[in-house]
């Protein structure tokens, strides 16, 4: 790394809560850039403490991080100036005490999760002294095994400021963007976090749910005329609902979202991975919350609601 990059590097200790595909990827990238990164693990603590973390990436190269500053309990971690939360939204209520324990006074908490309204829900559980930033990851990555992260494509993260003390939100957001850019990660800053979340839902709502419903990766879903039509109709519902809620995504956005998957290598959405491992599906954040917002604005999403109702049944049966 050159001296200019080192000189502009944001200062502070970084904590990672949720070391799956997302948390593992960004944590390793930040650590290999020379940042002081600490990882909170639960079930994989022993394996990571023994063997370290391994990132397998054709784009960035393979990186083994060993030894790892790993912890089984938040009480054992040093306080951090930046806290990246990459656990599933279903765990947020239980994670709030750990986030508050790990975060130093005035720390910046970055929520790298899918869904709608997730910052609003977590904000209620955090000390007022903490800044909260939303992060929307544009990435194809998954956990291959204990401490092993497979990165397939992309890697950028869109950052938007949610709330915090004082009136320096923009400065905090710029510091967050610089943190990732020093690590070689594109990090566009979003002026409207809610609009950015609607944009991500255009992809998340159809592909996550339909992949579980049909037990299929993205390539097959985009290969059959009937499923291609269903995916596009679901996208159109989300875009129309966003516009009714005051967040127009602009002309041509659906084609932009469509091209991100059409003709691309097969990818298994995260919800299908959760389903196969019998983990709770993120139905509240990805479906129930935006459905409620759209209905309140007078634009119910009928097809999305049908998909959500089907997923509720599948999820309950799968975990019972």
């Amino acid at each position: 790394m050159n001296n200019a990059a080192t000189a502009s590097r944001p200062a502070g200790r970084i904590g990672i809560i949720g070391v799956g595909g997302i948390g593992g990827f960004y944590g390793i990238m930040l650590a290999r850039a020379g940042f002081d990164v600490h990882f909170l693990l639960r079930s994989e603590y022993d394996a990571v403490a023994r063997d370290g973390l391994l990132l397998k990436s054709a784009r960035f190269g393979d990186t083994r991080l060993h030894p790892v500053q790993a912890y089984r309990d938040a009480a054992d971690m040093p306080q951090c100036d930046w806290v990246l939360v990459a656990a599933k939204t279903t765990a947020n209520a239980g994670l709030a005490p750990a986030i508050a324990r790990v975060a130093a006074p005035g720390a910046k908490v970055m929520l790298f999760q899918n869904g709608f309204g997730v910052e609003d829900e977590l904000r209620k559980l955090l000390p007022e002294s903490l800044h909260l930033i939303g992060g929307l990851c544009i990435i194809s990555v998954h956990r291959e095994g204990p401490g092993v992260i497979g990165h397939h494509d992309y890697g950028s993260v869109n950052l938007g400021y949610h709330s915090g003390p004082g009136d320096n939100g923009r400065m905090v957001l710029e510091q967050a963007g610089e943190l990732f850019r020093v690590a070689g990660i594109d990090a566009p800053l979003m002026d409207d976090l809610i609009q950015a979340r609607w944009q991500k839902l255009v992809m998340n709502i159809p592909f996550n749910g339909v992949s579980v419903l049909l037990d299929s990766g993205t390539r097959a879903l985009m290969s059959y005329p009937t499923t291609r039509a269903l995916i596009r109709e679901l996208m159109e519902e989300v875009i129309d609902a966003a516009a009714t809620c005051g967040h127009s995504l602009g002309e041509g956005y659906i084609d932009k979202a469509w091209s991100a998957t059409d003709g691309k290598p097969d990818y298994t959405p995260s919800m299908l991975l959760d389903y196969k491992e019998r983990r709770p599906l993120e139905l509240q954040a990805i479906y129930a919350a935006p459905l409620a917002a759209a209905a309140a604005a007078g634009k119910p999403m009928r097809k999305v609601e049908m998909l959500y109702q089907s997923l509720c049944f599948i999820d309950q049966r799968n975990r019972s």
Side-chain angles (χ1 to χ4, degrees), residues 198 237-249 293-300:
W198 276 113
E237 273 200 350
V238 177
I239 286 175
D240 289 344
T244 304
C245 291
H247 297 280
S248 174
L249 304 188
K299 190 71 174 181

Side-chain angles (χ1 to χ4, degrees), residues 52 151 197 234 265 298:
H151 173 237
R197 288 216 165 271
L234 290 166

Side-chain angles (χ1 to χ4, degrees), residues 58-263:
R59 179 176 179 182
F60 295 105
D62 292 357
T63 301
R64 179 173 292 280
L65 186 62
H66 190 269
V68 176
Q69 298 184 109
Y71 308 83
R72 195 194 303 271
D73 194 318
D76 298 327
M77 288 182 71
Q79 288 198 310
C80 298
D81 305 285
W82 299 88
V83 181
L84 195 162
V85 181
K88 296 291 184 179
T89 57
T90 51
N92 278 359
L95 283 177
I99 296 170
R101 168 62 186 82
V102 170
K108 298 88 171 175
V109 177
M110 297 181 286
L111 195 56
F112 280 23
Q113 295 179 330
N114 288 325
F116 189 82
V118 289
E119 291 87 7
D120 293 341
E121 293 302 313
L122 186 61
R123 178 77 268 180
K124 303 170 188 175
L125 306 174
L126 296 180
E128 294 181 0
S129 62
L130 302 180
H131 296 275
L132 184 58
I133 296 169
L136 294 96
C137 305
I138 313 301
I139 188 170
S140 174
V141 67
H142 75 282
R143 169 191 166 279
E144 292 188 356
V148 181
I149 311 301
H151 173 237
H152 307 288
D153 205 353
Y154 310 113
S156 67
V157 55
N158 297 335
L159 300 171
Y161 188 80
H162 181 269
S163 57
D167 57 358
N168 59 342
R170 182 66 188 186
M171 183 182 72
V172 170
L173 190 61
E174 290 173 354
Q175 291 173 347
E178 183 63 17
L179 193 77
F180 290 98
R181 284 189 286 273
V182 169
I185 296 166
D186 188 32
L189 306 184
M190 312 301 290
D191 293 326
D192 188 335
L193 179 57
I194 297 177
Q195 177 151 329
R197 288 216 165 271
W198 276 113
Q199 289 174 344
K200 188 76 184 291
L201 286 169
V202 172
M203 298 291 287
N204 278 337
I205 282 179
F207 284 110
N208 271 300
V210 177
S211 73
V212 173
L213 201 64
L214 301 180
D215 189 19
S216 173
T218 56
R219 178 182 285 276
L221 295 179
M222 297 297 282
S223 298
Y224 291 86
T226 51
T227 47
R228 283 176 67 89
L230 176 59
I231 294 293
R232 193 170 186 97
E233 288 163 7
L234 290 166
M235 286 182 169
E236 289 169 348
E237 273 200 350
V238 177
I239 286 175
D240 289 344
T244 304
C245 291
H247 297 280
S248 174
L249 304 188
E251 291 292 330
Y253 186 79
I254 192 168
D255 294 319
K256 179 180 178 181
W258 187 261
S259 64
T261 303
D262 197 20

Side-chain angles (χ1 to χ4, degrees), residues 253-302:
Y253 186 79
I254 192 168
D255 294 319
K256 179 180 178 181
W258 187 261
S259 64
T261 303
D262 197 20
K264 298 295 190 296
D266 191 33
Y267 177 63
T268 303
S270 61
M271 190 169 285
L272 181 55
L273 294 173
D274 288 339
Y275 173 77
K276 289 181 178 295
E277 296 192 23
R278 295 182 179 268
R279 293 191 294 257
L281 304 184
E282 295 182 283
L283 300 181
Q284 172 60 36
I286 296 178
Y287 293 95
L291 278 167
K299 190 71 174 181
M301 298 185 286
R302 301 301 186 191

